Amino acid sequence: MVHETCDCQQYRSHCNARSHTTHCLFLDGSTGPRKTTPSSYMIIPRHTSACFCQTSTLSRLLILQSCSQIQECRSIELPLAGEIQIAIRSTGICGSDVSYFKKFANGDLCACQPLSLGHESSGVVVAIGPQVTGFTIGDRVALEVGVPCGQCGICRKGRYNLCKKMRFRSSAKSFPHFQGTLQERINHPAVWCHKLPSHISFDAAALLEPLSVAIHALNRAKPEPGATALVMGAGTVGLLTAAMAQESGCSAVTICDVDQGRVDYALEHGFATHGYVVPRPLHPSSSSSSVVSGISTPGADGAMTPASSILSTLDSRLEGARTLAHDILAVSSSSCSPSVEDVSVHDDEHSPNIDTNNVQDGEEDDEGVDIAFECTGKEVCMHTALYATKPGGKVIMVGMGTPIQTLPMSVPHLREVDILGIFRYANTYATGIRLLSASKRLKQALKGPSGKTLVKRGLPSLDNMVTHRFKGLHRSREAFELASRTVDDEGRLVLKVVIEA
């Protein structure tokens, strides 16, 4: 609860009291007289940002320890100077969270102490620390969970996502680990909390985090008006990247995935103009970087395998990627208007007989997309993105996956294809909030008399991307298990899973 008073001396007298009856604003939103103890209320003087009489409160959180789920109840201290305390309302489950949940690691990052997951979150301000201005109790906020040092040269240049001292919630990259947002309450620096308008839901606000990745990718790509784009991967980040490509002026955006349902969803909801379902099985996603100098290399059973055999396998994978790129481009150029029929499913038996030498040798200089966004982190998808990009184009590495990959470097080298890396995001939340607000206003303004949208404009609904919701931290295990699947037990598409308070 919050008690308004005139000076700090008065609140100190309350702190020393065993109990007190006063007219207050409680943290649950209720008001009125209530008998309280020092541990159940806080006091905000009128002339300062905040003063506190309680020292801590209990907050449940989800803690992982050695791949097991433990729900704990811990004491959360009052926010320090510059911090606010947020009651978390919605947290989206990211692929990295699922990886930590299942393996206690994400790629090369291994957790070495108990780790709370979650970094796509929104909530309500329930306490305000000293030296914080611009926030009031009850403000709705989205959390930007990466906290840089703010002092280094990189930070001063505005590229704080690359700060070496960055602490990012639910990541094992920094030690001690910066605990994630899957908890009832959390203290977070106020400067990294973004106030939300009332018409943006908590679920949509949580998805501002993956939307920020997409915004950052487009900021790096800098597409020209009317450019063409390819997005490899139709997960949350891939879908939002495709939507942002259209928002940034791309006239044709093709999205690819191995899952038919996700490609269908992308087309039906306006995330992309064209779609392609990649045939299964793909070539193995493991890197072929085991090729070393010499005539042989150890195999899985310890026996020496001729290097020529490994190189032959690599050549086969590259040939498959060239063919796949040509098939995707054929779909991309098949129609100028968005349509669900743009989805193409090919397999080895029905795939057209295509001469891939044109793509390899660059004889058709204009064939390819201007920008390819690789959102899976898979080596074969990176190969395909390189072959599908026209000379002078760009490949944007968005997804993080296989850390060591073998790439056909002559493709970007001889065709001057720029390869740009993306790591999280910087300076994107304000843009994301403006985009969501503008999309909401446009959709309301363009509704016809029957309630049907007359014109598709702005970003697709982020709320509709949430396919499954779980109420309470006690259902976290169910949520994580489902988030690792593409369909639920009823055969419905699984796209974004959120845990709500």
Side-chain angles (χ1 to χ4, degrees):
M1 75 177 211
V2 181
H3 173 62
E4 290 193 356
T5 185
C6 296
D7 55 52
C8 296
Q9 182 62 40
Q10 185 174 351
Y11 97 80
R12 281 192 288 270
S13 67
H14 288 305
C15 291
N16 295 327
R18 297 178 65 88
S19 64
H20 184 73
T21 302
T22 184
H23 190 279
C24 305
L25 170 64
F26 291 85
L27 295 183
D28 61 7
S30 61
T31 60
R34 187 182 299 183
K35 193 166 185 177
T36 61
T37 62
S39 63
S40 63
Y41 66 86
M42 65 182 180
I43 301 161
I44 298 184
R46 291 190 177 96
H47 68 275
T48 187
S49 60
C51 291
F52 303 94
C53 61
Q54 67 188 62
T55 58
S56 65
T57 187
L58 292 179
S59 175
R60 286 180 295 174
L61 70 160
L62 178 70
I63 287 289
L64 279 184
Q65 191 169 15
S66 300
C67 303
S68 63
Q69 175 181 334
I70 304 174
Q71 186 177 328
E72 295 185 356
C73 192
R74 289 185 176 179
S75 176
I76 180 172
E77 300 296 325
L78 291 171
L80 301 174
E83 292 183 337
I84 60 177
Q85 188 173 111
I86 300 124
I88 300 297
R89 293 294 183 84
S90 180
T91 298
I93 297 179
C94 174
S96 63
D97 294 323
V98 174
S99 180
Y100 280 118
F101 180 80
K102 289 185 172 293
K103 300 181 291 186
F104 210 49
N106 181 35
D108 289 342
L109 301 177
C110 298
C112 48
Q113 65 176 176
L115 178 65
S116 178
L117 300 179
H119 56 267
E120 303 175 2
S121 288
S122 61
V124 176
V125 177
V126 294
I128 302 173
Q131 303 174 24
V132 173
T133 60
F135 288 91
T136 59
I137 301 298
D139 280 345
R140 305 165 73 254
V141 296
L143 284 73
E144 184 173 351
V145 296
V147 179
C149 75
Q151 303 297 323
C152 66
I154 287 290
C155 286
R156 288 197 297 269
K157 291 178 181 178
R159 302 186 70 176
Y160 58 83
N161 57 312
L162 305 178
C163 174
K164 291 183 178 180
K165 297 180 180 179
M166 166 72 77
R167 294 182 304 142
F168 195 88
R169 292 196 181 276
S170 77
S171 171
K173 188 173 183 180
S174 61
F175 185 86
H177 302 333
F178 200 25
Q179 298 301 320
T181 57
L182 270 176
Q183 41 190 305
E184 290 179 330
R185 293 189 182 186
I186 193 169
N187 295 327
H188 197 66
V191 69
W192 300 112
C193 296
H194 304 271
K195 294 172 71 171
L196 300 167
S198 59
H199 59 267
I200 295 181
S201 70
F202 286 116
D203 287 348
L207 293 188
L208 280 168
E209 203 277 342
L211 177 60
S212 286
V213 176
I215 293 172
H216 187 55
L218 268 297
N219 287 342
R220 293 272 283 156
K222 295 181 174 62
E224 296 181 356
T228 56
L230 168 65
V231 178
M232 301 297 295
T236 300
V237 170
L239 288 169
L240 293 173
T241 299
M244 280 305 305
Q246 291 191 83
E247 191 74 11
S248 301
C250 290
S251 60
V253 178
T254 302
I255 194 164
C256 303
D257 199 276
V258 295
D259 187 81
Q260 175 84 49
R262 291 192 172 189
V263 175
D264 288 344
Y265 179 92
L267 295 173
E268 291 167 6
H269 292 83
F271 286 88
T273 61
H274 300 75
Y276 183 91
V277 181
V278 179
R280 293 178 184 266
L282 288 174
H283 291 284
S285 59
S286 60
S287 174
S288 55
S289 57
S290 58
V291 178
V292 293
S293 60
I295 61 172
S296 60
T297 185
D301 57 357
M304 301 304 286
T305 302
S308 58
S309 174
I310 298 176
L311 291 173
S312 175
T313 301
L314 174 60
D315 286 342
S316 175
R317 289 210 291 264
L318 294 179
E319 181 64 28
R322 281 194 293 266
T323 301
L324 178 59
H326 204 287
D327 290 352
I328 293 171
L329 294 177
V331 170
S332 303
S333 59
S334 64
S335 173
C336 296
S337 60
S339 169
V340 176
E341 278 71 34
D342 288 334
V343 178
S344 297
V345 183
H346 295 295
D347 53 33
D348 292 338
E349 182 180 354
H350 299 93
S351 182
N353 184 19
I354 296 172
D355 180 8
T356 61
N357 291 328
N358 288 336
V359 179
Q360 181 179 7
D361 299 335
E363 293 177 8
E364 297 183 11
D365 292 339
D366 292 333
E367 184 175 357
V369 295
D370 295 295
I371 306 171
F373 297 91
E374 205 298 288
C375 299
T376 71
K378 301 295 185 182
E379 183 182 76
V380 63
C381 295
M382 187 63 185
H383 294 166
T384 304
L386 286 170
Y387 286 121
T389 304
K390 67 171 56 175
K394 300 175 184 177
V395 173
I396 314 298
M397 299 175 63
V398 183
M400 294 183 65
T402 309
I404 300 176
Q405 300 182 13
T406 300
L407 303 179
M409 295 308 297
S410 62
V411 176
H413 189 182
L414 300 179
R415 301 162 72 213
E416 292 194 356
V417 173
D418 296 338
I419 302 176
L420 300 179
I422 294 297
F423 185 62
R424 295 174 181 154
Y425 44 81
N427 310 300
T428 54
Y429 266 72
T431 300
I433 292 171
R434 286 195 300 269
L435 285 171
L436 292 186
S437 297
S439 297
K440 184 79 172 181
R441 290 194 298 269
L442 282 169
K443 286 178 174 60
Q444 290 173 345
L446 295 171
K447 290 287 185 181
S450 63
K452 185 177 181 180
T453 302
L454 299 178
V455 182
K456 277 192 169 184
R457 294 181 62 184
L459 289 177
S461 170
L462 268 62
D463 289 288
N464 289 342
M465 294 182 69
V466 179
T467 56
H468 296 78
R469 295 173 171 85
F470 290 83
K471 194 76 170 179
L473 291 178
H474 65 283
R475 300 194 64 191
S476 297
R477 179 177 290 277
E478 298 174 70
F480 276 97
E481 293 293 349
L482 183 61
S484 64
R485 300 165 55 184
T486 57
V487 294
D488 61 16
D489 292 337
E490 286 73 39
R492 296 174 300 184
L493 175 70
V494 175
L495 192 56
K496 174 57 69 172
V497 177
V498 302
I499 300 174
E500 298 179 332

